[in-house]
Coordinates of all heavy atoms in Angstrom, one line a residue:
M1 N 173.4 93.0 152.5 CA 174.2 93.4 151.3 C 173.3 93.4 150.1 O 172.5 92.5 149.9 CB 175.4 92.4 151.2 CG 176.2 92.8 150.0 SD 177.8 91.9 150.1 CE 178.5 92.4 148.6
S2 N 173.5 94.4 149.3 CA 172.6 94.5 148.1 C 173.0 93.4 147.1 O 174.2 93.0 146.9 CB 172.8 95.9 147.5 OG 172.2 96.0 146.3
T3 N 172.0 93.0 146.3 CA 172.3 92.0 145.3 C 172.0 92.6 143.9 O 171.0 92.2 143.3 CB 171.5 90.7 145.5 OG1 170.1 91.1 145.6 CG2 171.9 90.0 146.8
I4 N 172.8 93.5 143.5 CA 172.6 94.1 142.2 C 173.3 93.3 141.1 O 174.5 93.0 141.3 CB 173.1 95.6 142.1 CG1 172.5 96.4 143.2 CG2 173.0 96.2 140.8 CD1 173.1 97.8 143.3
P5 N 172.6 92.8 140.1 CA 173.3 92.0 139.1 C 174.5 92.8 138.5 O 174.5 94.0 138.4 CB 172.2 91.8 138.0 CG 170.9 92.0 138.7 CD 171.2 93.0 139.8
R6 N 175.5 92.0 138.1 CA 176.8 92.6 137.6 C 176.5 93.6 136.4 O 177.0 94.7 136.4 CB 177.7 91.5 137.1 CG 179.0 92.0 136.6 CD 180.0 90.9 136.4 NE 181.3 91.4 136.1 CZ 181.8 91.4 134.9 NH1 181.2 90.8 133.9 NH2 183.0 91.9 134.7
R7 N 175.7 93.2 135.5 CA 175.4 94.1 134.3 C 174.7 95.4 134.8 O 175.1 96.5 134.4 CB 174.5 93.4 133.4 CG 174.1 94.2 132.1 CD 173.3 93.4 131.2 NE 172.8 94.2 130.1 CZ 171.9 93.8 129.3 NH1 171.4 92.6 129.4 NH2 171.5 94.6 128.3
K8 N 173.8 95.3 135.7 CA 173.1 96.5 136.3 C 174.1 97.4 137.1 O 174.1 98.6 137.0 CB 172.0 96.1 137.1 CG 171.1 97.2 137.7 CD 170.4 98.0 136.5 CE 169.4 97.2 135.8 NZ 168.8 97.9 134.8
F9 N 175.0 96.7 137.8 CA 176.0 97.4 138.6 C 176.9 98.3 137.6 O 177.2 99.4 137.9 CB 176.9 96.5 139.4 CG 178.0 97.2 140.2 CD1 177.7 97.9 141.3 CD2 179.3 97.2 139.7 CE1 178.7 98.5 142.0 CE2 180.3 97.8 140.4 CZ 180.0 98.5 141.5
I10 N 177.4 97.7 136.5 CA 178.2 98.4 135.6 C 177.4 99.5 135.0 O 178.0 100.6 134.9 CB 178.7 97.4 134.5 CG1 179.7 96.4 135.2 CG2 179.4 98.2 133.4 CD1 180.1 95.2 134.3
Q11 N 176.2 99.3 134.6 CA 175.3 100.3 134.0 C 175.2 101.5 135.1 O 175.3 102.6 134.7 CB 174.0 99.7 133.7 CG 173.0 100.6 133.0 CD 171.7 99.9 132.7 OE1 171.3 99.1 133.5 NE2 171.2 100.2 131.6
L12 N 174.9 101.1 136.3 CA 174.7 102.1 137.4 C 176.0 102.9 137.6 O 176.0 104.1 137.7 CB 174.3 101.4 138.6 CG 174.2 102.2 139.9 CD1 173.1 103.2 139.7 CD2 173.9 101.3 141.1
S13 N 177.1 102.2 137.6 CA 178.4 102.9 137.8 C 178.7 103.9 136.7 O 179.2 105.0 137.0 CB 179.5 101.9 137.9 OG 179.3 101.0 139.0
A14 N 178.4 103.5 135.5 CA 178.7 104.4 134.4 C 177.8 105.7 134.5 O 178.3 106.8 134.3 CB 178.5 103.7 133.0
V15 N 176.6 105.5 134.8 CA 175.6 106.6 134.9 C 176.0 107.5 136.1 O 176.0 108.7 136.0 CB 174.2 106.1 135.0 CG1 173.2 107.3 135.3 CG2 173.8 105.4 133.7
A16 N 176.4 106.9 137.2 CA 176.8 107.7 138.3 C 178.0 108.5 138.1 O 178.1 109.6 138.5 CB 177.0 106.8 139.6
A17 N 179.0 107.9 137.4 CA 180.2 108.6 137.0 C 179.9 109.8 136.1 O 180.4 110.9 136.3 CB 181.2 107.7 136.3
A18 N 179.0 109.6 135.2 CA 178.6 110.7 134.3 C 177.9 111.8 135.1 O 178.2 113.0 134.9 CB 177.7 110.2 133.2
G19 N 177.2 111.4 136.1 CA 176.5 112.4 136.9 C 177.5 113.2 137.8 O 177.3 114.4 137.9
C20 N 178.5 112.6 138.2 CA 179.5 113.3 139.0 C 180.2 114.3 138.1 O 180.5 115.4 138.6 CB 180.6 112.3 139.5 SG 179.9 111.2 140.8
L21 N 180.5 114.0 136.9 CA 181.1 114.9 136.0 C 180.2 116.1 135.7 O 180.6 117.3 135.7 CB 181.4 114.3 134.6 CG 182.5 113.2 134.7 CD1 182.7 112.5 133.4 CD2 183.9 113.9 135.1
V22 N 178.9 115.9 135.5 CA 177.9 116.9 135.2 C 177.7 117.8 136.4 O 177.7 119.0 136.3 CB 176.6 116.3 134.7 CG1 175.5 117.4 134.7 CG2 176.8 115.6 133.4
Q23 N 177.6 117.2 137.6 CA 177.4 118.0 138.8 C 178.5 118.8 139.2 O 178.4 119.9 139.8 CB 177.1 117.0 140.0 CG 175.7 116.4 139.9 CD 174.6 117.4 140.0 OE1 174.7 118.3 140.7 NE2 173.5 117.2 139.2
G24 N 179.8 118.4 138.9 CA 180.9 119.2 139.2 C 181.1 119.6 140.7 O 181.7 120.6 141.0
G25 N 180.5 118.8 141.5 CA 180.7 119.0 143.0 C 179.7 120.0 143.6 O 179.7 120.1 144.8
R26 N 178.9 120.6 142.8 CA 177.9 121.5 143.4 C 176.7 120.7 144.0 O 176.3 119.7 143.5 CB 177.5 122.5 142.4 CG 176.1 122.3 141.8 CD 175.8 123.4 140.8 NE 174.9 122.9 139.8 CZ 173.6 122.8 140.0 NH1 173.0 123.2 141.1 NH2 172.9 122.3 139.0
E27 N 176.2 121.2 145.0 CA 175.1 120.6 145.7 C 173.8 120.9 144.9 O 173.5 122.1 144.8 CB 175.0 121.1 147.1 CG 173.9 120.4 148.0 CD 174.3 119.0 148.3 OE1 175.5 118.7 148.4 OE2 173.4 118.2 148.6
A28 N 173.1 119.9 144.4 CA 171.9 120.1 143.7 C 170.8 120.4 144.6 O 170.7 119.7 145.7 CB 171.6 118.9 142.8
R29 N 169.9 121.3 144.3 CA 168.7 121.6 145.1 C 167.5 121.2 144.3 O 167.4 121.6 143.1 CB 168.6 123.1 145.5 CG 169.7 123.5 146.5 CD 169.6 125.0 146.7 NE 168.2 125.5 146.6 CZ 167.5 126.1 147.5 NH1 168.1 126.4 148.6 NH2 166.3 126.5 147.3
A30 N 166.6 120.4 144.9 CA 165.4 119.9 144.2 C 164.6 121.1 143.6 O 164.1 121.0 142.5 CB 164.6 119.1 145.1
D31 N 164.5 122.2 144.3 CA 163.7 123.3 143.9 C 164.3 123.9 142.6 O 163.5 124.5 141.8 CB 163.7 124.4 145.0 CG 163.0 124.0 146.2 OD1 162.3 123.0 146.2 OD2 163.1 124.7 147.2
D32 N 165.5 123.8 142.3 CA 166.2 124.3 141.1 C 166.0 123.4 139.9 O 166.3 123.8 138.8 CB 167.7 124.5 141.4 CG 168.0 125.5 142.5 OD1 167.1 126.3 142.8 OD2 169.1 125.4 143.0
L33 N 165.6 122.2 140.2 CA 165.7 121.2 139.1 C 164.3 120.9 138.5 O 163.3 120.8 139.2 CB 166.2 119.9 139.7 CG 167.6 120.0 140.4 CD1 168.0 118.6 141.0 CD2 168.7 120.3 139.4
P34 N 164.3 120.7 137.2 CA 163.1 120.3 136.5 C 162.8 118.9 136.9 O 163.7 118.1 137.2 CB 163.4 120.4 135.0 CG 164.9 120.4 134.9 CD 165.4 120.9 136.2
H35 N 161.5 118.5 136.9 CA 161.1 117.2 137.2 C 161.4 116.2 136.1 O 161.2 116.5 134.9 CB 159.6 117.1 137.5 CG 159.1 117.9 138.7 ND1 157.8 118.0 139.0 CD2 159.9 118.6 139.6 CE1 157.7 118.8 140.1 NE2 159.0 119.1 140.5
L36 N 161.9 115.1 136.4 CA 162.2 114.0 135.5 C 160.8 113.5 135.0 O 159.9 113.3 135.8 CB 163.0 112.9 136.1 CG 163.3 111.7 135.2 CD1 164.3 112.2 134.1 CD2 163.9 110.6 136.0
T37 N 160.7 113.3 133.7 CA 159.4 112.7 133.2 C 159.7 111.4 132.5 O 160.8 111.1 132.1 CB 158.8 113.7 132.1 OG1 159.7 113.9 131.1 CG2 158.4 115.0 132.8
S38 N 158.7 110.6 132.5 CA 158.9 109.2 131.9 C 159.1 109.2 130.4 O 159.5 108.1 129.9 CB 157.7 108.3 132.3 OG 156.5 108.9 131.8
D39 N 159.0 110.3 129.8 CA 159.3 110.3 128.3 C 160.7 110.7 128.0 O 161.2 110.7 126.9 CB 158.3 111.2 127.5 CG 158.3 112.6 128.0 OD1 158.9 112.9 129.0 OD2 157.7 113.5 127.3
D40 N 161.5 111.0 129.1 CA 162.9 111.3 129.0 C 163.6 110.0 128.5 O 163.4 109.0 129.1 CB 163.4 111.8 130.3 CG 164.9 112.1 130.3 OD1 165.7 111.2 130.2 OD2 165.3 113.3 130.4
P41 N 164.5 110.1 127.5 CA 165.2 108.9 127.0 C 165.9 108.1 128.1 O 165.9 106.9 128.2 CB 166.1 109.4 125.9 CG 165.5 110.6 125.5 CD 164.8 111.2 126.7
M42 N 166.6 108.9 129.0 CA 167.3 108.2 130.1 C 166.3 107.5 131.1 O 166.6 106.4 131.6 CB 168.2 109.2 130.8 CG 169.1 108.6 131.8 SD 170.4 107.7 131.1 CE 171.6 107.7 132.4
A43 N 165.3 108.2 131.3 CA 164.2 107.7 132.2 C 163.6 106.4 131.6 O 163.4 105.4 132.3 CB 163.1 108.7 132.5
Q44 N 163.4 106.4 130.3 CA 162.9 105.2 129.7 C 163.9 104.1 129.8 O 163.5 102.9 130.0 CB 162.6 105.5 128.2 CG 161.3 106.4 128.1 CD 161.0 106.8 126.6 OE1 161.8 106.5 125.7 NE2 159.8 107.3 126.4
A45 N 165.2 104.4 129.6 CA 166.2 103.3 129.7 C 166.2 102.7 131.1 O 166.5 101.5 131.2 CB 167.6 103.9 129.3
M46 N 165.9 103.5 132.1 CA 166.0 103.0 133.4 C 164.6 102.6 134.0 O 164.4 102.3 135.1 CB 166.6 104.1 134.4 CG 168.0 104.4 134.0 SD 169.1 103.0 134.1 CE 170.6 103.7 133.5
K47 N 163.6 102.6 133.1 CA 162.2 102.3 133.4 C 161.6 103.1 134.5 O 160.9 102.7 135.3 CB 162.1 100.8 133.7 CG 162.6 99.9 132.6 CD 162.5 98.4 133.1 CE 163.0 97.5 131.9 NZ 163.1 96.1 132.3
Y48 N 162.0 104.4 134.5 CA 161.5 105.3 135.6 C 160.0 105.6 135.4 O 159.5 105.8 134.3 CB 162.3 106.7 135.5 CG 161.7 107.7 136.4 CD1 162.0 107.7 137.8 CD2 160.8 108.7 136.0 CE1 161.5 108.6 138.6 CE2 160.2 109.6 136.8 CZ 160.6 109.6 138.2 OH 160.0 110.5 139.0
T49 N 159.4 105.6 136.6 CA 158.0 106.1 136.7 C 157.9 106.9 137.9 O 158.6 106.7 138.9 CB 157.0 104.9 136.8 OG1 155.7 105.4 137.0 CG2 157.4 103.9 137.9
D50 N 157.0 107.9 137.9 CA 156.8 108.7 139.1 C 155.7 108.1 140.0 O 155.4 108.7 141.0 CB 156.5 110.2 138.8 CG 155.3 110.4 137.9 OD1 154.6 109.4 137.7 OD2 155.2 111.5 137.5
D51 N 155.3 106.9 139.7 CA 154.4 106.1 140.5 C 154.9 104.7 140.8 O 154.6 103.8 140.0 CB 153.0 106.1 139.9 CG 151.9 105.4 140.7 OD1 152.2 105.0 141.9 OD2 150.8 105.2 140.2
A52 N 155.6 104.5 141.9 CA 156.2 103.2 142.1 C 155.1 102.1 142.3 O 155.4 100.9 141.9 CB 157.0 103.3 143.4
S53 N 153.9 102.5 142.7 CA 152.9 101.5 142.8 C 152.4 100.9 141.5 O 151.8 99.8 141.5 CB 151.7 102.0 143.6 OG 151.0 103.0 142.8
S54 N 152.8 101.5 140.4 CA 152.4 101.0 139.1 C 153.3 99.9 138.5 O 153.0 99.4 137.5 CB 152.3 102.2 138.1 OG 153.6 102.7 137.8
V55 N 154.4 99.7 139.3 CA 155.4 98.7 138.8 C 155.0 97.3 139.3 O 154.8 97.1 140.5 CB 156.8 99.1 139.3 CG1 157.8 98.1 138.8 CG2 157.2 100.5 138.8
D56 N 155.0 96.4 138.4 CA 154.8 95.0 138.8 C 156.0 94.5 139.6 O 157.1 94.5 139.1 CB 154.6 94.1 137.6 CG 154.4 92.6 137.9 OD1 154.3 92.3 139.1 OD2 154.4 91.9 136.9
A57 N 155.8 94.1 140.9 CA 156.9 93.7 141.8 C 157.7 92.6 141.2 O 158.9 92.5 141.4 CB 156.4 93.4 143.1
A58 N 157.0 91.7 140.4 CA 157.7 90.5 139.8 C 158.7 90.9 138.8 O 159.6 90.1 138.4 CB 156.7 89.6 139.3
S59 N 158.6 92.1 138.2 CA 159.5 92.6 137.2 C 160.7 93.3 137.7 O 161.6 93.6 136.9 CB 158.7 93.5 136.2 OG 158.5 94.8 136.9
R60 N 160.8 93.5 139.0 CA 161.9 94.2 139.6 C 163.1 93.3 139.8 O 163.0 92.1 140.1 CB 161.5 94.8 140.9 CG 160.4 95.8 140.7 CD 160.0 96.5 142.0 NE 159.8 95.7 143.1 CZ 158.9 96.0 144.1 NH1 158.3 97.1 144.1 NH2 158.7 95.1 145.1
N61 N 164.4 93.8 139.6 CA 165.6 93.0 139.9 C 165.8 92.7 141.4 O 166.2 91.7 141.7 CB 166.8 93.8 139.4 CG 166.8 93.9 137.9 OD1 166.3 93.1 137.2 ND2 167.4 95.0 137.4
N62 N 165.4 93.7 142.2 CA 165.6 93.5 143.6 C 164.3 93.1 144.3 O 163.3 93.8 144.0 CB 166.1 94.9 144.2 CG 166.5 94.7 145.7 OD1 165.8 94.3 146.5 ND2 167.8 95.1 145.9
P63 N 164.3 92.1 145.1 CA 163.0 91.6 145.7 C 162.5 92.4 146.9 O 161.4 92.1 147.4 CB 163.4 90.2 146.1 CG 164.8 90.3 146.4 CD 165.4 91.3 145.5
A64 N 163.2 93.4 147.4 CA 162.8 94.2 148.5 C 161.4 94.7 148.4 O 161.0 95.1 147.3 CB 163.8 95.3 148.8
A65 N 160.6 94.7 149.4 CA 159.2 95.0 149.3 C 158.9 96.5 149.1 O 158.1 96.9 148.3 CB 158.5 94.5 150.5
D66 N 159.5 97.3 149.9 CA 159.2 98.8 149.9 C 160.2 99.5 149.0 O 161.3 99.9 149.5 CB 159.3 99.3 151.4 CG 159.0 100.8 151.5 OD1 158.3 101.3 150.6 OD2 159.4 101.4 152.4
Q67 N 159.8 99.7 147.8 CA 160.7 100.3 146.8 C 160.1 101.6 146.2 O 159.0 101.5 145.6 CB 161.1 99.4 145.6 CG 161.8 98.1 146.1 CD 162.4 97.3 144.9 OE1 162.5 97.8 143.8 NE2 162.6 96.0 145.1
S68 N 160.7 102.7 146.5 CA 160.4 104.0 145.9 C 161.6 104.8 146.0 O 162.6 104.5 146.6 CB 159.2 104.6 146.7 OG 159.7 105.1 147.9
C69 N 161.6 106.0 145.3 CA 162.7 106.9 145.3 C 163.0 107.3 146.8 O 164.2 107.5 147.1 CB 162.5 108.1 144.4 SG 162.4 107.6 142.7
A70 N 162.0 107.4 147.6 CA 162.2 107.9 149.0 C 163.0 106.9 149.8 O 163.7 107.2 150.7 CB 160.9 108.1 149.6
T71 N 163.0 105.6 149.4 CA 163.7 104.5 150.1 C 165.0 104.1 149.4 O 165.6 103.1 149.8 CB 162.8 103.3 150.3 OG1 162.4 102.7 149.1 CG2 161.5 103.7 151.1
C72 N 165.3 104.8 148.3 CA 166.5 104.4 147.5 C 167.8 105.0 148.0 O 167.8 106.2 148.4 CB 166.2 104.8 146.0 SG 167.6 104.4 144.9
A73 N 168.8 104.3 147.9 CA 170.2 104.8 148.4 C 170.7 105.9 147.5 O 171.6 106.7 147.9 CB 171.2 103.7 148.4
L74 N 170.1 106.1 146.3 CA 170.7 107.0 145.3 C 169.9 108.4 145.3 O 170.4 109.3 144.6 CB 170.6 106.4 143.9 CG 171.5 105.1 143.8 CD1 171.1 104.3 142.6 CD2 172.9 105.5 143.9
V75 N 168.9 108.5 146.1 CA 168.2 109.8 146.2 C 169.0 110.7 147.1 O 169.7 110.2 148.0 CB 166.7 109.6 146.6 CG1 166.7 109.3 148.1 CG2 165.9 110.8 146.2
V76 N 168.9 112.0 146.9 CA 169.6 113.0 147.7 C 168.6 113.7 148.6 O 167.7 114.3 148.1 CB 170.4 113.9 146.8 CG1 171.1 115.0 147.6 CG2 171.3 113.2 145.9
G77 N 168.8 113.6 149.9 CA 167.9 114.3 150.8 C 166.8 113.4 151.2 O 166.5 112.3 150.7
T78 N 166.1 113.9 152.2 CA 165.0 113.2 152.8 C 163.7 114.0 152.8 O 162.7 113.6 153.3 CB 165.3 112.8 154.3 OG1 165.6 114.0 155.0 CG2 166.5 111.8 154.3
E79 N 163.7 115.2 152.3 CA 162.5 116.1 152.4 C 162.0 116.4 151.0 O 162.8 116.5 150.0 CB 162.9 117.5 153.0 CG 163.5 117.3 154.4 CD 162.4 116.9 155.4 OE1 161.3 117.3 155.3 OE2 162.8 116.1 156.3
G80 N 160.7 116.6 150.9 CA 160.1 117.1 149.7 C 159.5 115.9 148.8 O 160.0 114.8 148.9
D81 N 158.6 116.3 148.0 CA 158.0 115.4 147.1 C 158.9 115.1 145.9 O 158.7 114.0 145.2 CB 156.6 115.9 146.6 CG 155.6 116.0 147.7 OD1 155.7 115.2 148.7 OD2 154.6 116.8 147.6
W82 N 159.8 116.0 145.6 CA 160.7 115.9 144.4 C 162.1 116.1 145.0 O 162.3 117.1 145.7 CB 160.4 116.8 143.3 CG 159.1 116.5 142.6 CD1 157.8 116.9 143.0 CD2 158.9 115.6 141.5 NE1 156.9 116.3 142.2 CE2 157.5 115.6 141.2 CE3 159.8 115.0 140.7 CZ2 157.0 114.8 140.2 CZ3 159.3 114.2 139.6 CH2 157.9 114.2 139.4
R83 N 163.0 115.2 144.6 CA 164.4 115.2 145.2 C 165.4 114.9 144.1 O 165.1 114.2 143.2 CB 164.5 114.2 146.3 CG 163.4 114.3 147.4 CD 163.5 113.2 148.3 NE 162.3 113.2 149.2 CZ 162.0 112.3 150.1 NH1 162.8 111.2 150.3 NH2 160.9 112.4 150.8
P84 N 166.6 115.5 144.2 CA 167.7 115.1 143.3 C 168.0 113.6 143.4 O 167.8 113.0 144.4 CB 168.9 115.9 143.8 CG 168.3 117.0 144.6 CD 167.0 116.4 145.2
C85 N 168.5 113.1 142.3 CA 168.9 111.6 142.3 C 170.2 111.6 141.6 O 170.5 112.3 140.6 CB 167.8 110.8 141.5 SG 168.4 109.2 141.1
Q86 N 171.1 110.7 142.1 CA 172.5 110.6 141.6 C 172.5 110.0 140.2 O 173.4 110.2 139.4 CB 173.3 109.7 142.5 CG 173.5 110.4 143.9 CD 174.2 109.5 144.8 OE1 175.3 109.0 144.5 NE2 173.6 109.2 146.0
I87 N 171.4 109.3 139.8 CA 171.4 108.7 138.5 C 170.9 109.7 137.4 O 171.2 109.5 136.2 CB 170.4 107.5 138.5 CG1 171.0 106.4 139.5 CG2 170.2 106.9 137.1 CD1 172.3 105.9 139.1
F88 N 170.1 110.7 137.8 CA 169.6 111.6 136.8 C 170.0 113.0 137.2 O 169.2 113.8 137.7 CB 168.0 111.5 136.8 CG 167.5 110.2 136.4 CD1 167.0 109.3 137.4 CD2 167.5 109.8 135.1 CE1 166.6 108.0 137.0 CE2 167.1 108.5 134.7 CZ 166.6 107.6 135.7
P89 N 171.3 113.4 136.9 CA 171.8 114.7 137.2 C 171.0 115.8 136.5 O 170.7 115.6 135.3 CB 173.3 114.6 136.8 CG 173.3 113.5 135.8 CD 172.3 112.5 136.2
G90 N 170.7 116.8 137.2 CA 170.1 118.0 136.6 C 168.5 117.9 136.6 O 167.8 118.7 136.1
K91 N 168.0 116.8 137.2 CA 166.6 116.6 137.3 C 166.2 116.2 138.7 O 167.1 115.7 139.4 CB 166.1 115.5 136.3 CG 166.5 115.7 134.8 CD 165.5 116.6 134.2 CE 165.9 116.9 132.8 NZ 165.6 115.8 131.8
S92 N 165.0 116.3 139.1 CA 164.5 115.8 140.3 C 163.5 114.7 140.1 O 162.9 114.7 139.0 CB 163.9 116.9 141.2 OG 162.8 117.5 140.5
V93 N 163.5 113.7 141.0 CA 162.6 112.6 140.8 C 161.6 112.6 141.9 O 161.8 113.2 143.0 CB 163.4 111.3 140.9 CG1 164.4 111.2 139.8 CG2 164.1 111.1 142.2
S94 N 160.4 112.0 141.6 CA 159.4 111.9 142.6 C 159.7 111.0 143.8 O 160.2 109.9 143.5 CB 158.1 111.4 141.9 OG 157.1 111.2 142.9
A95 N 159.5 111.5 145.0 CA 159.7 110.6 146.1 C 158.9 109.3 146.0 O 159.2 108.3 146.6 CB 159.4 111.3 147.4
S96 N 157.8 109.4 145.3 CA 156.9 108.2 145.1 C 157.3 107.4 143.8 O 156.6 106.5 143.5 CB 155.4 108.6 145.0 OG 155.1 109.3 146.1
G97 N 158.4 107.8 143.2 CA 158.8 107.2 141.9 C 159.6 106.0 142.1 O 159.8 105.5 143.3
W98 N 160.1 105.4 141.0 CA 160.9 104.2 141.0 C 161.6 104.1 139.7 O 161.1 104.6 138.7 CB 160.0 103.0 141.2 CG 160.7 101.7 141.3 CD1 161.3 101.0 142.3 CD2 161.0 100.8 140.1 NE1 161.9 99.9 142.0 CE2 161.7 99.7 140.6 CE3 160.7 100.9 138.8 CZ2 162.1 98.7 139.8 CZ3 161.2 99.9 137.9 CH2 161.8 98.8 138.4
C99 N 162.8 103.5 139.7 CA 163.4 103.1 138.5 C 164.2 101.7 138.7 O 164.3 101.3 139.8 CB 164.4 104.1 137.9 SG 166.0 104.1 138.6
S100 N 164.7 101.1 137.6 CA 165.2 99.8 137.7 C 166.5 99.7 138.4 O 167.0 98.5 138.7 CB 165.3 99.2 136.3 OG 166.2 100.0 135.5
V101 N 167.2 100.8 138.7 CA 168.4 100.7 139.5 C 168.2 101.0 141.0 O 169.1 101.2 141.7 CB 169.5 101.6 138.9 CG1 169.9 101.1 137.5 CG2 169.1 103.0 138.9
W102 N 167.0 100.9 141.4 CA 166.7 101.1 142.8 C 167.6 100.2 143.7 O 167.8 99.1 143.4 CB 165.2 100.7 143.2 CG 164.9 100.9 144.6 CD1 164.4 102.1 145.2 CD2 165.0 100.0 145.7 NE1 164.2 101.9 146.5 CE2 164.6 100.6 146.9 CE3 165.5 98.7 145.7 CZ2 164.6 100.0 148.1 CZ3 165.5 98.0 147.0 CH2 165.1 98.7 148.1
A103 N 168.2 100.8 144.7 CA 169.0 100.1 145.7 C 168.7 100.5 147.1 O 168.4 101.7 147.3 CB 170.5 100.4 145.4
P104 N 168.7 99.6 148.0 CA 168.3 99.9 149.4 C 169.3 100.8 150.1 O 170.5 100.7 149.8 CB 168.2 98.5 150.1 CG 169.1 97.6 149.3 CD 169.1 98.2 147.9
K105 N 168.8 101.6 150.9 CA 169.7 102.5 151.7 C 170.4 101.5 152.7 O 169.9 100.6 153.2 CB 168.9 103.5 152.5 CG 168.3 104.6 151.6 CD 167.7 105.7 152.4 CE 167.1 106.8 151.4 NZ 166.6 107.9 152.1
A106 N 171.7 101.9 153.0 CA 172.5 101.0 153.9 C 172.0 101.1 155.3 O 171.3 102.0 155.8 CB 173.9 101.5 153.9
Ligands
SF4_201 FE1 166.9 107.6 141.5 FE2 166.6 105.5 143.1 FE3 164.5 106.8 142.2 FE4 165.9 105.3 140.5 S1 164.7 104.5 142.3 S2 165.1 107.4 140.1 S3 168.0 105.6 141.3 S4 166.1 107.6 143.6

């Protein structure tokens, strides 16, 4: 079972709900989406980087060892270097990236 702190869970839920409204039920394709950049205000709020290896493991909320967008429950799809993410609607994230709401796949 995931151990996401309550505050982070609430933050994650609000962002995910906003993403559902923006997506409007359409299937996002990574090829159609601009890449998320670390200077995006939302990316900064979530401490997104497109290089997960640059993140100090001690600073992460979740202690799991293998953390990247490719291993996150919130990424959409399993193919490609850039993929849609439920947290960042309208953008694609690097499969090698990471942000502070990373959660393990079930
Ligand atoms: Fe999205 Fe997960 Fe990557 Fe964060 S770690 S940007 S939630 S796929």
Side-chain angles (χ1 to χ4, degrees):
M1 182 167 177
S2 174
T3 55
I4 301 173
R6 184 169 185 255
R7 182 175 171 194
K8 185 63 68 180
F9 177 78
I10 292 169
Q11 185 180 39
L12 175 62
S13 298
V15 172
C20 290
L21 291 173
V22 170
Q23 287 295 324
R26 103 179 150 83
E27 186 72 26
R29 289 178 30 125
D31 294 347
D32 299 338
L33 302 175
H35 295 176
L36 181 67
T37 59
S38 56
D39 61 349
D40 179 291
M42 186 72 160
Q44 290 178 347
M46 300 299 173
K47 301 179 182 173
Y48 172 80
T49 174
D50 56 12
D51 180 10
S53 68
S54 68
V55 178
D56 178 6
S59 71
R60 301 185 304 211
N61 293 328
N62 189 303
D66 182 22
Q67 296 190 24
S68 70
C69 294
T71 63
C72 180
L74 299 164
V75 77
V76 178
T78 58
E79 301 293 324
D81 293 336
W82 291 85
R83 305 173 191 174
C85 168
Q86 297 175 54
I87 298 299
F88 298 104
K91 303 280 177 72
S92 61
V93 298
S94 170
S96 302
W98 180 90
C99 85
S100 62
V101 295
W102 181 91
K105 291 185 178 184

